[in-house]
Every structure is written in structure tokens, then in C-alpha cells.
Amino acid sequence: MEYLPNIIFAIVLVAGISYFAKNVKKLIRNIKLGHKVDASDHTSERWKNVVNIALGQSKMVKRPVSGFLHVIVYVGFVIINIEVLEIIIDGIFGTHRIGLSILPESVYGFLIGSFEILALLVLVSVIIFWIRRNIIKIRRFMGSDLKGWPKSDGNIILYFEVVLMILFLVMNATDTSFQNMEAGNVISQFIAPWFEGFSEGTLFTIERTAWWLHIVGILVFLNYLYFSKHLHILLAFPNVYYGKVVPKGKFNNLDAVTAEVKLMMDPDADPYAAPAETEEDEVPAKFGASDVMDLSQVQLLSAYTCTECGRCTSECPANLTGKKLSPRKIMMDTRDRLEEVGKNIDANNGEFKDDGKQLLGDYITNEELWACTTCNACVEACPVSIDPLSIIMDMRRYLVMEQSAAPMELNNMMTNIENNGAPWPYNQMDRLKWKDE
Amino acid sequence: MSEQLKVPTMAEMMAEGKQPEILFWVGSAGSYDDRAKKITRAFVKILNKANVNFAVLGTEESNTGDVAKRAGNEFLFQMQAVMNIEVLNGYEVKRIVTCDPHSYNCIKNEYPGLGGNYEVIHHTQFIKDLLSSGRLKLEGNTYKGKRITFHDPCYLGRGNGVYDAPRDVLKKTNATLVEMKRHKSTALCCGAGGAQMFKDAEPGDKEVNVLRTEDALETQPQIIATGCPYCNTMMTDGVKFKEKEADIKVLDIAELIADA
Ligand code: SF4
Ligand code: SF4
């Protein structure tokens, strides 16, 4: 019976981690539904971005208040989780504060002391976050794309943090031997008096309960990630790595189109010739994107990475002037549809069965797509290097090249370019007239 | 009758066996749009004044395909691009200057993948170089003490990171430069990009150019400076909408400098 807690602990730990691993596998499978992207270029710049933008949060702090608070929560969370290492060792081997038997008391005390201070800072920041979301009602958290689940998701994670931090402090406060050590109990010494007069046994029970809830809470939190925008704490890193490294104004040239244009422009090409050998087993090209499978793996990764912070939408000129477009919604729709496709695959033994739906139309409307000025404000604003504009562009391409569904005025403009080499119906021979006016 | 400009074409240069220092890419707006044509003329005036050896393609120039691309018509874009690249490469063009950030972005970033590699320079960058190398001198003090605010074009600023050149040029005029609250990387679009110039806006509470003009008006400027023909149209319309056209001028940096 002596080893019962150890065994239970091991089971909980393994269960928590394997469920997480299962979901990570699903995540990777879903992302792989998109087409591959070659990101072997600009390696040093990519790493620089990871260090500055993901690790260093250089884009977060562009908005000083939320940026500063976010840095605290981020640093706090990462550092406090070092403590989890001790908890896991203690849990498996039935030890108590293994760190104390390895490190000198002063070092251990210093470590736990800094964790406690961070825990308090995290608590304060999280409470301010909650107030910003729920009481001050900052505009970017009030968008119509942030109703229902996305809204509760934002709050749930804050509650999680509050509970985990409080548990950590209570655990320390009720650990009498730790309190007696009088090192490292920087914050918990002020909580300890609340438990004065409790019997030794009760204190022990409270300490154990807090300890168990803390580690179970962390495992639940880990598994909650997959279902939440908080996946960004893991995916921000790869997403920043794969983010755009060329000038923002540079849009990709579709290779499939290049091949066809070359064929059309080449006077020697035989239009009736059989396609070249190499092209034979290539999938027939679909121009642009109408569903998630037409997007790239980076775009799908981004959909899972989006933190729904709305920094993109709050800078979007279309959104600011009351139009339907919200780049945040573009990312959220992409993720929702991708999840739907993933579930469809799970339900049909690993194969996608046509469900009569797609990203275009069922999630994102033409009206949203046509409202975009391609100004790149959303891309600039995103703290985790997401490019919502690239998805908008791929869908516009589908609308125009596969469905000829551009607004009428744009069709006129394009016909003019085709016929006169200008968006207006003027004669190319008049191109130099400005000279003599 | 306005003053006579010297505008040699590449074909003429070629016939004389000469190669110009730069090719001036006029762009469709600069060639046909009445307001933008004034910007084109102003820039040529500067080139003439500074004795820059340049040429234009004239009737051999065609639309870059930029708007078609942003509208989603990759086919049309690539057709235009391939055609233009053929002409440019035929003349062995190395350096291109343009007053249109959309052409600038498109030729600089998107043409190389299709075989067109050139050094592309925005006219504000080129003017800056002319001024700092002393080839161009500002004599008058036309703008001394005038409040000027500069509106960043998306495709020059955020699109390509060019924020300083236009400001450096404006500083040389001795004007008082005032910044809007949204400027440089957070500048608001004028509303014309992404082919919006050629269609009606989607329903909303306001037009983008009006909101942007409000940003500008907050700085109480006498002149709103632009560096893009589309921005110029949008801001001019915005100022008219606010009935401020009597007090506030919207001028391209080329126009400002041509008169400085
Ligand atoms: S690029 Fe499009 S979606 Fe992004 S901010 Fe500009 S208008 Fe909005
Ligand atoms: S795309 Fe980026 S800026 Fe927009 S909501 Fe998602 S994380 Fe925030």
C-alpha cells in the first residue's frame, strides 16, 4: 500500500501525457492536409525571428500594457514550471522536495522564492487581463467573431492560471517544514498565518491536496491546449519560424500559372503536344483556394497558432470602417473548418468524405474577401507572424480564376488591361500624351 | 501652354546607340489619370532640372499587372509581367524609377521570379539621392514653416519598409513635418489598394479614405504629402468630402519638390 500514491501518480502522468500526444498527432495530421512549403531559405533570418518575435516577444510589446503583462505571465509561467520537474520526481519516487537534498538550502530557497514572486506577479497580471476583457471591454475583445466559445476560452485560461498560482502558494504555505526553513517563503509566509491553529494532520492534508491539484491541474491545462487558442504557447515558435521572411508586399507567383503562361507565350509550343513526362502524375492544378486542403501547411499551422487577440482586426482599415472583414475571423474560420475536416477524417477511417461544405462560402463570404485592401496592416500587427492576407488572396484567386466571380467593376478593369494594357479603356498609343499636356 | 519637358523614349535612345542611367516607369495611373499625370510631369521636371539621363518606354509600356494580381487574377498578372519583362530585358534595363509604389513593389519583388531582375527605386528615394549628392538643389523657401503631414503608402511603407526617404526629402524643404497618430508601420491604408480603386467599397459605416483624411486633419496640416498616385486621389477626395479643399492641399512629394 505504501507505493499506492506513487503508482496513482505515474498513471495520472502517463494518461495525461499520452492523451496530449494523441492530440498532437492529430494536429500534425491536420496541418499536413495543406500543401508543402519550401522554407529552406533565409535560415538565419528565421532563427532571428524566433529569438526576437517568439522568445523575445518583440511584437507583443508594441502595445505596452498588454505586452508587459503578457511578458510577465509568459516568463512566470515558463519559470514556475521548472518547479513541475521537482513535483514529477517527488511524485514518482515518493520523495518530498527532492531539490532540497540536491541543492544547498540557500540556493533552493532563492529558487522557490523567485517562483513565489513570479506567481504573485502572474496573479496580478491575470486579474488585470480579466478586467480588460470583462469589465473595461476593450474593443478588440468585443468583436462579433469573439462570441460564445472563443470568449469563454479566453476567460477559462485566466481562471486556470489563477487556480494554479494559488495552489502553488498554498502548497508552500501549508508545508510546515518549508515554512520553518525560513528561506524561499517570500510570499507564502504571508499566507501561512491563515492556516494557524490547524492541526498538523489537517495542514498535511491541505498541503497534499494542493500538491495533487497542482500537478493534475497542469496536466488538464496541457490537454486543454489543443481545444483552445492557447495552443499558441507551443505553436508560436514554429509559426514564427515559418512566417514570411520576404518583403510584405511581395505576393507569391503561382507556379502552375507560370507553367501555363509560358506555354501560351512560347511561339514554338505545340498546343496539342502530350504533357511532358514529369508532369504526368501531378495533381491537376486548382488555382487558388476554396477549402483548407488548398491552403499551405504554414497557413494551417497559423490557424492553430492564432491567439485570437484581434490585434490584426483592430488595425484593419476595412474593419475600422464597419465592413464585414475581420482578419482574425479569417484565421478562426480556417481553424474551425480544419477541425471539422479532421473530425470527418476520424469518423471515416482516415479518409475525408465530401460533406458538401467548404471554407469559402460556408465560413468566409465573398463580401469579406473583397473588402480587403491588401494593406498588410494585419500582418504587421500580428504578434506571432500570421499572414491572414495570404489566405484572403488565395481565396480571391479561386474566385477569379476558377469561378470568374469577381465584382463586375473588377471584371471591367481586367478586360481593359487585357485589351489596352491599362485598367481604363484608353488606347495604348496614348500612353505618352501626358508629355505635351 | 505648360513648359516643354524633355522625355526621351527607350526606342529613341536605342536608335542613337545610347543607354540611359535610369528607366522611368510611368505606370498606368501616371500615364492616363488626370491628377496623376501632373505628378508624372512634376517628376520629369525634377529629372530635367537635375540633368538626369533617363528614358521612358512610352507606348511600349504596359500595365504592370499589379492590380490584376491583387484582384486575384494571377493569369493576367503573369501575362502582363512576362510581356513587360521581355521589353525591359530587350533594352537591357538595369535601374528603374517609378512614382507608383504598386509598380515599385510589383517590379521589385514579383518580377524577379518571372525573369525580370532590376534595381527598382521609388521616386522619393531617387529625389533623396539627387538632393544629397547635390545634383538637385532647392532654391526657394516655398514651404518654410508650412505644416506638412506625410501619408505612408502601404506598398512603400509596410510592403517594403521604406519610411525614411520621403520624410528625409520633406525635411529638406524646411517645412514643419507633423506625424499622424497612425504613421509608418501602423499607417492606415488610403483605401485604394488591393484593386479597391476600381470598385465600390463593401457596405460599412464609412469610407476608408474619409477615416484616413480624419487622421490627417487631426494634425492640422496645410499640406498632405503623398507618394503614390492612388493615395493622392483618395486623400484629395477625402479632403473634398470634409470640405477643406480651400485650406488643405494634397500634393505628391514630386510636386512639392518641383516647386520648391
Ligand atoms: S490586408 Fe486586408 S485584412 Fe489585412 S488589415 Fe489590410 S484590409 Fe484588413
Ligand atoms: S492573426 Fe495574429 S493578430 Fe490576428 S488574432 Fe490571430 S494572433 Fe492575433
Side-chain angles (χ1 to χ4, degrees):
Chain A
M1 275 299 108
E2 198 190 331
Y3 293 112
L4 193 59
N6 309 35
I7 295 168
I8 296 179
F9 182 85
I11 293 175
V12 171
L13 190 68
V14 170
I17 292 178
S18 27
Y19 187 62
F20 176 67
K22 195 181 134 210
N23 278 333
V24 168
K25 258 197 178 145
K26 201 188 287 175
L27 179 85
I28 294 173
R29 183 207 59 200
N30 290 354
I31 289 175
K32 285 204 167 144
L33 292 174
H35 56 79
K36 273 214 187 77
V37 236
D38 179 20
S40 55
D41 54 348
H42 300 96
T43 325
S44 62
E45 205 177 336
R46 291 178 188 282
W47 282 113
K48 224 172 74 200
N49 286 345
V50 171
V51 171
N52 291 337
I53 301 174
L55 265 176
Q57 313 229 326
S58 56
K59 287 207 153 174
M60 277 308 294
V61 292
K62 290 247 161 95
R63 302 213 174 173
V65 180
S66 57
F68 179 66
L69 296 172
H70 187 270
V71 169
I72 292 180
V73 175
Y74 160 73
V75 172
F77 206 75
V78 170
I79 295 183
I80 295 166
N81 273 320
I82 299 176
E83 168 69 6
V84 176
L85 193 69
E86 184 181 48
I87 293 187
I88 290 175
I89 298 175
D90 282 349
I92 294 174
F93 299 106
T95 46
H96 184 68
R97 293 194 185 261
I98 184 86
L100 263 178
S101 53
I102 301 168
L103 304 166
E105 207 176 280
S106 57
V107 177
Y108 185 80
F110 174 77
L111 277 179
I112 302 287
S114 16
F115 297 167
E116 286 200 350
I117 292 172
L118 278 171
L120 183 70
L121 289 176
V122 169
L123 260 179
V124 173
S125 313
V126 163
I127 291 168
I128 302 177
F129 273 147
W130 187 86
I131 294 174
R132 280 162 57 91
R133 263 179 193 267
N134 299 284
I135 299 182
I136 307 181
K137 302 202 184 228
I138 290 189
R139 188 185 182 266
R140 69 189 154 100
F141 298 128
M142 293 297 120
S144 59
D145 41 355
L146 218 55
K147 293 270 147 63
W149 165 245
K151 187 175 168 72
S152 10
D153 181 28
N155 280 329
I156 288 173
I157 214 80
L158 297 178
Y159 303 143
F160 250 115
E161 304 248 1
V162 169
V163 171
L164 286 178
M165 292 306 125
I166 290 179
L167 284 172
F168 173 70
L169 291 174
V170 167
M171 178 181 101
N172 284 352
T174 51
D175 188 340
T176 25
S177 61
F178 173 70
Q179 290 298 327
N180 287 339
M181 208 175 92
E182 286 193 10
N185 57 346
V186 195
I187 308 293
S188 60
Q189 58 174 311
F190 299 104
I191 303 175
W194 302 351
F195 300 98
E196 239 163 56
F198 284 49
S199 75
E200 191 114 330
T202 321
L203 275 182
F204 180 74
T205 316
I206 298 177
E207 192 269 339
R208 283 291 88 191
T209 315
W211 185 92
W212 274 98
L213 287 178
H214 188 231
I215 184 69
V216 170
I218 286 174
L219 286 173
V220 173
F221 179 76
L222 182 71
N223 281 292
Y224 177 76
L225 290 184
Y226 179 79
F227 306 95
S228 151
K229 73 190 190 87
H230 292 87
L231 206 42
H232 78 271
I233 65 175
L234 301 174
L235 298 188
F237 296 89
N239 195 70
V240 167
Y241 183 85
Y242 288 111
K244 195 167 185 173
V245 276
V246 293
K248 290 190 186 63
K250 176 178 181 169
F251 292 7
N252 62 337
N253 295 331
L254 285 183
D255 291 338
V257 172
T258 313
E260 295 216 8
V261 168
K262 281 226 174 88
L263 210 63
M264 284 162 76
M265 304 292 259
D266 182 2
D268 304 327
D270 172 5
Y272 303 108
E277 292 275 319
T278 48
E279 287 171 28
E280 229 161 12
D281 33 35
E282 260 175 41
V283 206
K286 170 177 178 183
F287 299 117
S290 60
D291 208 348
V292 285
M293 303 79 140
D294 309 324
L295 295 173
S296 78
Q297 294 180 356
V298 173
Q299 288 167 323
L300 298 185
L301 169 68
S302 291
Y304 278 119
T305 309
C306 175
T307 73
E308 297 167 17
C309 65
R311 289 180 181 218
C312 50
T313 297
S314 72
E315 303 274 322
C316 172
N319 193 275
L320 284 170
T321 50
K323 294 164 184 80
K324 258 200 192 136
L325 175 63
S326 157
R328 166 172 61 190
K329 178 177 171 290
I330 301 285
M331 299 317 298
M332 292 169 67
D333 285 343
T334 306
R335 178 175 179 166
D336 289 348
R337 172 60 184 161
L338 183 55
E339 272 295 290
E340 186 177 61
V341 168
K343 289 204 180 103
N344 179 316
I345 294 177
D346 288 334
N348 295 302
N349 307 318
E351 250 186 73
F352 177 68
K353 261 216 190 119
D354 190 14
D355 57 357
K357 285 207 230 165
Q358 57 173 13
L359 183 60
L360 178 66
D362 295 303
Y363 287 83
I364 299 171
T365 59
N366 297 13
E367 182 180 335
E368 289 163 71
L369 296 173
W370 290 117
C372 174
T373 70
T374 72
C375 70
N376 263 307
C378 52
V379 188
E380 177 76 38
C382 181
V384 289
S385 302
I386 289 174
D387 184 349
L389 172 56
S390 70
I391 298 182
I392 296 174
M393 276 315 300
D394 283 343
M395 297 183 80
R396 274 194 186 179
R397 285 168 170 173
Y398 179 84
L399 282 177
V400 172
M401 291 191 287
E402 296 279 347
Q403 301 202 307
S404 310
M408 206 226 336
E409 306 109 302
L410 289 189
N411 280 332
N412 292 341
M413 175 272 286
M414 293 188 282
T415 313
N416 285 328
I417 293 182
E418 252 177 83
N419 297 338
N420 315 313
W424 301 281
Y426 300 129
N427 194 323
Q428 180 149 9
M429 286 305 124
D430 295 342
R431 264 208 179 247
L432 206 47
K433 277 204 166 159
W434 56 266
K435 178 173 100 138
D436 309 304
E437 280 172 8
Chain B
M1 183 75 201
S2 48
E3 72 189 286
Q4 210 50 48
L5 299 173
K6 279 188 289 175
V7 191
T9 63
M10 279 310 268
E12 290 163 11
M13 284 256 171
M14 182 88 146
E16 293 171 38
K18 281 194 265 180
Q19 181 75 15
E21 178 188 341
I22 56 158
L23 172 87
F24 172 32
W25 184 273
V26 184
S28 293
S31 305
Y32 293 115
D33 180 87
D34 284 334
R35 179 67 187 86
K37 280 195 267 187
K38 293 193 183 141
I39 301 172
T40 307
R41 290 182 59 87
F43 184 56
V44 169
K45 202 170 137 191
I46 293 171
L47 293 175
N48 284 170
K49 204 151 85 182
N51 276 320
V52 177
N53 175 16
F54 76 102
V56 297
L57 284 176
T59 54
E60 287 184 276
E61 188 186 294
S62 188
N63 184 271
T64 53
D66 164 79
V67 266
K69 190 177 180 88
R70 313 296 139 184
N73 197 338
E74 181 74 7
F75 263 108
L76 184 52
F77 158 70
Q78 291 203 14
M79 300 279 286
Q80 291 296 119
V82 169
M83 251 159 41
N84 284 322
I85 290 170
E86 214 162 89
V87 175
L88 290 167
N89 288 354
Y91 284 122
E92 293 176 21
V93 168
K94 302 271 171 332
R95 300 177 84 207
I96 298 177
V97 179
T98 177
C99 302
D100 177 355
H102 299 265
S103 298
Y104 166 83
N105 174 70
C106 188
I107 302 177
K108 172 174 168 281
N109 295 319
E110 290 154 1
Y111 276 26
L114 301 167
N117 294 288
Y118 320 101
E119 182 193 347
V120 190
I121 308 159
H122 187 243
H123 71 306
T124 56
Q125 297 172 312
F126 195 73
I127 295 173
K128 183 187 162 181
D129 288 348
L130 291 180
L131 288 171
S132 50
S133 66
R135 287 172 78 181
L136 184 70
K137 287 197 180 62
L138 301 183
E139 287 121 23
N141 246 337
T142 331
Y143 302 104
K144 192 160 185 197
K146 287 247 161 70
R147 286 173 74 83
I148 302 185
T149 189
F150 176 66
H151 160 76
D152 288 275
C154 303
Y155 276 86
L156 188 66
R158 263 191 307 273
N160 289 287
V162 180
Y163 299 114
D164 295 334
R167 290 180 169 79
D168 291 345
V169 171
L170 286 174
K171 275 181 205 143
K172 291 255 163 73
T173 64
N174 284 325
T176 310
L177 210 57
V178 279
E179 293 288 3
M180 300 181 224
K181 65 174 190 286
R182 297 184 254 235
H183 65 281
K184 293 191 175 171
S185 67
T186 56
L188 189 81
C189 180
C190 69
Q196 300 295 342
M197 181 80 184
F198 300 95
K199 64 185 254 302
D200 287 330
E202 276 55 37
D205 350 296
K206 201 185 255 190
E207 298 297 334
V208 176
N209 67 326
V210 172
L211 182 62
R212 186 51 173 165
T213 306
E214 286 166 2
D215 281 0
L217 294 186
E218 268 175 33
T219 68
Q220 297 173 315
Q222 281 149 307
I223 296 168
I224 299 174
T226 57
C228 166
Y230 298 108
C231 295
N232 193 293
T233 304
M234 285 310 205
M235 299 307 279
T236 306
D237 289 351
V239 169
K240 275 193 199 131
F241 181 86
K242 293 276 170 189
E243 297 176 350
K244 286 270 191 266
E245 68 265 40
D247 320 322
I248 300 171
K249 279 201 196 125
V250 181
L251 292 171
D252 191 274
I253 290 188
E255 297 175 292
L256 278 153
I257 297 301
D259 288 338

